[in-house]
Amino acid sequence: MLYFSTLILSFAAGSVSTQASNPLQKYTISAPGISATFIPYGARLTNLYVNDKNGNPQDVVLGYDDAADYVRNDETVHTYFGPIVGRYANRIKNGTFTVQGVTSHTPENDNMGHDTLHGGKLGYDQRNWTVVSANSTSVTFSLLDQAFEGFPGNVITFATYTVSAGPRWTSRLVSIPLDEPTPIMLANHVYWNLGAFVDEAGSTVLNNTLQMPYAARYVEIDNIEVPTGAIGTTKGTFLDFTSPKQIGRDIESAINNCGYNCTGYDNAFILDRPRYSSPESTDLSQLTLSSNSTGIQLDIYTNQQSLQIYTCDNTNGTIPVKRSQQLADKTTFVEKYGCIVIETQQWIDGVNHAEWGQDAYQIYTVDSEPAVVFAQYDFSVLGA
């Protein structure tokens, strides 16, 4: 904790270099085979280029060309394209939780007022983060959360994004409570399409191959996607991705799986690492995703114990893709199943389920370890 305490004191005293920048200013970092662009608004990833099977760079994340469109989106449909979500990612039932005998209430901004989603009405995704440091391969943002949205106490978070040869993108989110006990669960909310819309097959993720070898369990949810408290097993169901399979193979069986009258995936998969590993180990790939259209493959390593997988079940062809992703002869839009969101996080609504034993990974105090979300995204080309 000494390093983090020193960093906080230095930050408060102004001895760490900070840049009061335009929240929509773009910061691009690059390394051999990879280039990524971020903006301070939401500490948000806007572009990520890696090479396809033909050696051509492809932008494999969704978003906008004009950074101001992220603000417009948040004021209307609020899609959460590419930011950090928090102070508590995913859903909190009834916007209510109790920590050490103190009950807190957060805005119920989802499902007509039945739960809190991604930190409330004005979460971390809509905050203007400070640029602490930036160079050619790394950028660090910070955010001082002063009891935002009814969460208890003040929390400071540092988000460091780095690219390196591999190619690899590494995300490190470090959150430190400054006074009161509080739940903290952050996540990167990136919309991926490894097919990069290069052809018709690449315009959805249905032909993508997905494997989560350690996701033999999942959190069961009700028809508004709030956990019931039950833990299910994926074996033999449409939720079984422990072996590689195309996302579209069983998706038509996922009826009401992503909410009432919704067909698709929007599930919290539990990561049960093998016994020679450990619950927070980053030594094994927890997810592998690939597209035949581009030949691009993604492997994700993380210290988190859950992956929320959302297959863009509600996108409806009204949002155009970026210019770099447009097919040559027509305007391409994001259709249903046109992307996949992969959130590395702890168990959804674990703050309200003491029986799951998640408190050590979700409740933090001034004398605890910091909350750390580590995610490493390794890219390769199929057959290479």
Side-chain angles (χ1 to χ4, degrees), residues 33-282:
I34 187 168
S35 174
T37 300
F38 304 88
I39 57 173
Y41 179 66
R44 185 181 309 258
L45 175 67
T46 64
N47 304 83
L48 196 153
Y49 286 90
V50 292
N51 290 337
D52 65 13
K53 59 188 177 184
N54 299 313
N56 299 318
Q58 301 293 345
D59 190 352
V60 294
V61 302
L62 273 63
Y64 295 103
D65 293 302
D66 183 354
D69 282 334
Y70 291 103
V71 180
R72 299 184 187 103
N73 177 288
D74 288 345
E75 292 172 345
T76 53
V77 293
H78 203 173
T79 314
Y80 300 96
F81 276 143
I84 293 172
V85 290
R87 176 185 307 190
Y88 195 93
N90 222 316
R91 291 174 170 85
I92 299 174
K93 185 176 182 178
N94 297 325
T96 303
F97 56 87
T98 300
V99 174
Q100 296 188 8
V102 178
T103 298
S104 297
H105 301 276
T106 51
E108 295 161 290
N109 61 317
D110 190 43
N111 290 311
M112 296 182 291
H114 286 89
D115 60 87
T116 299
L117 177 64
H118 294 329
K121 294 179 180 178
L122 197 64
Y124 285 15
D125 61 298
Q126 295 182 80
R127 302 288 175 172
N128 296 328
W129 293 56
T130 298
V131 179
V132 176
S133 177
N135 57 47
S136 62
T137 60
S138 184
V139 59
T140 296
F141 300 98
S142 70
L143 180 70
L144 178 60
D145 172 353
Q146 298 175 294
F148 294 161
E149 300 294 272
F151 284 91
N154 301 308
V155 173
I156 190 165
T157 294
F158 297 91
T160 297
Y161 301 133
T162 304
V163 293
S164 56
R168 171 179 295 166
W169 169 43
T170 303
S171 170
R172 291 170 291 170
L173 313 179
V174 180
S175 301
I176 305 165
L178 303 180
D179 37 42
E180 300 179 32
T182 180
I184 302 174
M185 189 171 84
L186 307 190
N188 298 110
H189 202 274
V190 178
Y191 284 71
W192 300 93
N193 184 320
L194 299 185
F197 305 93
V198 298
D199 54 22
E200 290 299 326
S203 65
T204 76
V205 297
L206 295 177
N207 295 313
N208 285 191
T209 298
L210 173 64
Q211 182 183 18
M212 295 179 286
Y214 309 112
R217 297 190 297 159
Y218 70 100
V219 177
E220 294 189 11
I221 54 177
D222 61 20
N223 62 8
I224 59 169
E225 302 185 83
V226 172
T228 64
I231 304 299
T233 57
T234 63
K235 185 176 181 179
T237 74
F238 57 81
L239 290 167
D240 190 354
F241 287 94
T242 53
S243 298
K245 75 174 182 182
Q246 288 190 330
I247 291 173
R249 193 188 81 177
D250 298 328
I251 201 167
E252 293 302 324
S253 299
I255 301 170
N256 295 325
N257 180 60
C258 45
Y260 177 72
N261 202 29
C262 175
T263 299
Y265 296 103
D266 195 3
N267 300 95
F269 292 87
I270 296 169
L271 302 177
D272 293 312
R273 293 166 172 83
R275 65 189 218 176
Y276 59 78
S277 185
S278 63
E280 296 179 284
S281 177
T282 61

Side-chain angles (χ1 to χ4, degrees), residues 315-328:
T315 52
N316 57 10
T318 58
I319 298 176
V321 302
K322 288 174 279 188
R323 285 189 296 271
S324 59
Q325 298 167 328
Q326 295 289 354
L327 297 177

Side-chain angles (χ1 to χ4, degrees), residues 89-90 185-188 192 210-219 234 239 241 265-273 284-289 298-311 340-348 358 373-377:
N90 222 316
M185 189 171 84
L186 307 190
N188 298 110
W192 300 93
L210 173 64
Q211 182 183 18
M212 295 179 286
Y214 309 112
R217 297 190 297 159
Y218 70 100
V219 177
T234 63
L239 290 167
F241 287 94
Y265 296 103
D266 195 3
N267 300 95
F269 292 87
I270 296 169
L271 302 177
D272 293 312
R273 293 166 172 83
L284 301 170
S285 172
Q286 299 298 319
L287 178 146
T288 301
L289 180 70
L298 167 63
D299 280 277
I300 297 180
Y301 300 77
T302 181
N303 67 337
Q304 300 296 281
Q305 298 179 63
S306 176
L307 293 173
Q308 181 78 25
I309 303 296
Y310 169 61
T311 49
I340 181 171
V341 179
I342 306 166
E343 302 171 45
T344 59
Q345 59 191 221
Q346 301 295 349
W347 296 19
I348 174 177
Q358 275 279 299
V373 181
F374 174 87
Q376 176 182 300
Y377 303 84

